[in-house]
Amino acid sequence: MDETGYRDRIDRLVEPDERVLAHATAGVANGAQPPAPPDAAPPEAPGGRVHVGAVLFNLISPLIVWDRGDRLVDRVVWGVAGRGAPGSAASRLRHALNPPNPELAVRDVVLAVTDRRLLACLSGPTTVLSSRADDARAVARTAVVWSVSRAEVASARVGWHRLNPKRLRVDFTDGSWLAFTVPIAESGRPLRGIAAALSA
């Protein structure tokens, strides 16, 4: 049973003759990720070399964002969460799931597998202390932000990464890949369902 309501929404988003095989609410794994596509807007962050002071500042105050320092901290603390050249499938997927967010709203990432495609969806904005009505509006505003044909997915598997046993890795035929996780307290069954559907 889908208590979130996302399955009904996804059924409305796909083509009439397209069949949804699995879906999961997940987040892009922490760690170093593929670079943005070449046509993406450049981040508003200072350039230059990575300084030890900037890395320490990022560790002490994680709410302060500095692109180069963040990438180094992510790699050291979390490892690698994806690889791929700018413009690769993983690069475009990661960029689609990280739109500009000036209002600092919370959005769910929903992955779905159909008999034709792998879809990535973003819910409407919510807040940490949202009501049921707010959650229902967020589900109703869920939209597909990225999709790729099943033929472009090379493999998918769920396994351990450091202390997390529920990490989904999706590999694409262009050699790129991206990982997704759920919180430790949540079941990994939906992610395993995504991996099984993509492997079928």
Side-chain angles (χ1 to χ4, degrees), residues 125-138:
T126 63
T127 60
V128 175
L129 300 175
S130 61
S131 66
R132 286 189 181 189
D134 293 334
D135 292 342
R137 278 192 293 273

Side-chain angles (χ1 to χ4, degrees), residues 75-90:
R75 184 178 292 273
V76 170
V77 175
W78 302 106
V80 178
R83 290 193 188 281
S88 63

